[in-house]
Amino acid sequence: QKEVEQNSGPLSVPEGAIASLNCTYSDRGSQSFFWYRQYSGKSPELIMSIYSNGDKEDGRFTAQLNKASQYVSLLIRDSQPSDSATYLCAVKWSGGSNYKLTFGKGTLLTVNP
Amino acid sequence: GAGVSQSPSNKVTEKGKDVELRCDPISGHTALYWYRQRLGQGLEFLIYFQGNSAPDKSGLPSDRFSAERTGESVSTLTIQRTQQEDSAVYLCASSPGVPGTQYFGPGTRLLVL
């Protein structure tokens, strides 16, 4: 059973701090990783994708991938109250289908003003 | 351009009734996905369409669930003889072909009384 694990939280950080969200996955051969943000009562939206080991930055967001340790993380710098949402990690498994993503259950982030 | 649309946005039905949920993907997107999200839970994959065919129906919970897609566009998810445990948000997503770049619709909130 291939799994994507996330701490459900809630993770609470003060405004302006760095929020760190972590995700581990079970398939060592996985190649593609995605972070989706889901506001309460809304549908998920893609915010970051990462395919290679290391860091990928996009504005205040940085995705970090470590395939040897099988984890992917999302850092949010200068956190804002508007970043308060559930963050979903998604993984495309190696081999087999090339279309299917498996989502973690998400981490609820609360940024306090 | 227009995003993914779903209808109805909310549906309340009685146990045992059939319901149809509709998804209009982004024009030109060949891939279409249905997910279920129970309250406070992650995304549960139901079915994937590539064009009008469904190569992966592995997530459909039971034979009460079925889905079709026509004209490489609109998809309908049908739940027969609804049960209370079917209550959830049903999300549709479409993709231009890159597996992780899924664009979600606003969802249909189904409540079975």
Side-chain angles (χ1 to χ4, degrees), chain A residues 24-43:
Chain A
T24 60
Y25 57 93
S26 60
D27 180 13
R28 180 176 292 275
S30 297
Q31 298 293 318
S32 306
F33 308 86
F34 309 88
W35 283 99
Y36 282 76
R37 177 177 62 199
Q38 186 174 25
Y39 290 113
S40 179
K42 302 295 184 181
S43 54

Side-chain angles (χ1 to χ4, degrees), chain A residues 34 36 38 41-46 51 88 92 98-101 103-105, chain B residues 33 35 37 41-43 45 48 56 58 91 99-102 104-106 109:
Chain A
F34 309 88
Y36 282 76
Q38 186 174 25
K42 302 295 184 181
S43 54
E45 58 179 328
L46 178 67
Y51 306 97
L88 303 170
K92 188 177 82 68
N98 65 353
Y99 57 84
K100 188 173 180 177
L101 296 182
F103 286 82
K105 293 185 177 181
Chain B
Y33 307 78
Y35 295 90
Q37 188 172 34
Q41 301 297 309
L43 297 179
F45 169 83
Y48 157 73
D56 189 347
S58 62
L91 290 162
T101 312
Q102 296 185 18
F104 284 82
R109 287 157 183 75

Side-chain angles (χ1 to χ4, degrees), chain A residues 1-2 90-91 93 97-104, chain B residues 31-38 41-50 53-62 65 67 77 89-93 99 102 104:
Chain A
Q1 180 80 2
K2 296 180 177 178
V91 177
W93 305 121
S97 66
N98 65 353
Y99 57 84
K100 188 173 180 177
L101 296 182
T102 299
F103 286 82
Chain B
L32 186 147
Y33 307 78
W34 282 98
Y35 295 90
R36 179 169 69 180
Q37 188 172 34
R38 290 195 168 108
Q41 301 297 309
L43 297 179
E44 179 185 1
F45 169 83
L46 298 179
I47 189 170
Y48 157 73
F49 286 92
Q50 178 60 46
S53 64
D56 189 347
K57 304 179 183 180
S58 62
L60 293 178
S62 74
F65 287 73
L77 176 69
V89 176
Y90 290 82
L91 290 162
C92 173
Q102 296 185 18
F104 284 82

Side-chain angles (χ1 to χ4, degrees), chain B residues 15-89:
Chain B
K15 178 181 174 181
K17 300 284 189 181
D18 298 351
V19 296
E20 283 190 354
L21 312 180
R22 177 186 168 109
C23 172
D24 281 272
I26 294 172
S27 178
H29 282 195
T30 57
L32 186 147
Y33 307 78
W34 282 98
Y35 295 90
R36 179 169 69 180
Q37 188 172 34
R38 290 195 168 108
L39 188 63
Q41 301 297 309
L43 297 179
E44 179 185 1
F45 169 83
L46 298 179
I47 189 170
Y48 157 73
F49 286 92
Q50 178 60 46
N52 291 337
S53 64
D56 189 347
K57 304 179 183 180
S58 62
L60 293 178
S62 74
D63 59 7
R64 295 187 296 106
F65 287 73
S66 62
E68 65 176 14
R69 188 180 184 193
T70 56
E72 296 195 354
S73 180
V74 172
S75 176
T76 302
L77 176 69
T78 301
I79 309 173
Q80 295 178 311
R81 305 181 301 282
T82 51
Q83 303 294 312
Q84 290 181 331
E85 63 262 27
D86 299 334
S87 296
V89 176

